[in-house]
Amino acid sequence: EPDVTIVSGLRDTVVAEGDDVTFRCQVSHENARDVEWKLQDVALQNNEMNEISVEKGKIHTLTLRKVTEQDIGTVTFRVGPHTSTA
């Protein structure tokens, strides 16, 4: 299995309280396994507040819905040994 790397990393984003914010990270291969999103070192699950999806097989997205002050912090995307933060 080829080593999946991060082609295009996360970007820092400023958003108003109550708005949605989306983070995108592009990887080198489709169907990447061992992928994880974190906010402030807490692993995120796909639910009504966090939408985690994959577009075109290589673009992993995380949308945080109706953010609050508690959502301020570092977002981390990890695939295998590679990470990107914003």
Side-chain angles (χ1 to χ4, degrees):
E1 188 170 309
D3 186 29
V4 177
T5 60
I6 295 173
V7 176
S8 175
L10 300 177
R11 295 202 173 115
D12 290 342
T13 304
V14 176
V15 63
E17 189 169 15
D19 286 350
D20 296 350
V21 61
T22 299
F23 296 92
R24 287 182 178 81
C25 203
Q26 183 175 348
V27 298
S28 59
H29 295 79
E30 290 187 12
N31 303 320
R33 292 194 190 99
D34 195 21
V35 170
E36 183 178 50
W37 286 97
K38 288 184 175 181
L39 175 60
Q40 304 167 5
D41 278 335
V42 176
L44 299 176
Q45 305 297 322
N46 196 21
N47 58 36
E48 66 276 354
M49 297 307 294
N50 313 312
E51 183 181 319
I52 297 170
S53 62
V54 181
E55 299 170 4
K56 300 177 186 167
K58 295 182 182 180
I59 301 170
H60 293 256
T61 65
L62 166 67
T63 300
L64 302 176
R65 303 232 176 264
K66 297 185 174 86
V67 296
T68 66
E69 279 189 27
Q70 286 76 36
D71 295 318
I72 292 173
T74 301
V75 171
T76 304
F77 173 82
R78 180 185 63 77
V79 57
H82 307 286
T83 60
S84 178
T85 58

